[in-house]
Amino acid sequence: QVQLVESGGGLVQAGGSLRLSCAASGRTFSNSAMAWFRQSPGKERELVAAITRGGSTNYADFVKGRFTISRDNAKNTVYLQMSSLKSEDTAVYFCAASTKWYARTPAEYGDWGQGTQVTVSA
């Protein structure tokens, strides 16, 4: 099991930037695929970005070119750098860990953080 704690959310104006962090403890971090999901009221949780154990990345179309996921195995931390934020990016952002090499769906992730709110004002 992995314990995950997100930080870095907040209120930002459209066009601005934020960096989310997710600190992990428990199971060896380097053995986990990691991802960021988001969920807004009335919508299903959706994948934002994922990173494999080896560092390969995958992004949802709606964030390509604007968001970057990265991991620092020495610090047991995964990051989500968000730029050119839009009002539609407003959501609770969740960090998740999987025992798989790579995973895309929420069901494939067994460990979740509590979420951090990101609000983008127009």
Side-chain angles (χ1 to χ4, degrees):
Q1 190 175 7
V2 178
Q3 291 76 45
L4 303 170
V5 178
E6 302 101 333
S7 61
L11 174 65
V12 63
Q13 288 188 331
S17 300
L18 280 176
R19 188 177 81 156
L20 306 183
S21 299
C22 174
S25 60
R27 181 177 72 236
T28 303
F29 178 74
S30 60
N31 288 342
S32 300
M34 302 296 297
W36 288 94
F37 288 81
R38 71 186 188 186
Q39 189 168 21
S40 51
K43 294 187 177 181
E44 293 188 353
R45 193 166 296 189
E46 58 185 359
L47 177 70
V48 176
I51 187 165
T52 69
R53 297 179 189 175
S56 297
T57 58
N58 187 61
Y59 297 92
D61 287 343
F62 52 78
V63 302
K64 282 182 179 177
R66 300 189 298 124
F67 291 10
T68 302
I69 188 171
S70 61
R71 64 190 299 161
D72 185 336
N73 288 342
K75 295 183 177 180
N76 290 349
T77 301
V78 63
Y79 304 96
L80 184 69
Q81 178 66 49
M82 305 185 294
S83 302
S84 302
L85 283 160
K86 306 175 182 179
S87 57
E88 51 263 45
D89 294 319
T90 295
V92 177
Y93 284 71
F94 296 89
C95 174
S98 173
T99 56
K100 295 186 174 184
W101 176 267
Y102 173 68
R104 284 186 57 85
T105 66
E108 296 176 283
Y109 287 84
D111 298 293
W112 294 82
Q114 81 287 351
T116 186
Q117 177 71 46
V118 172
T119 303
V120 183
S121 62

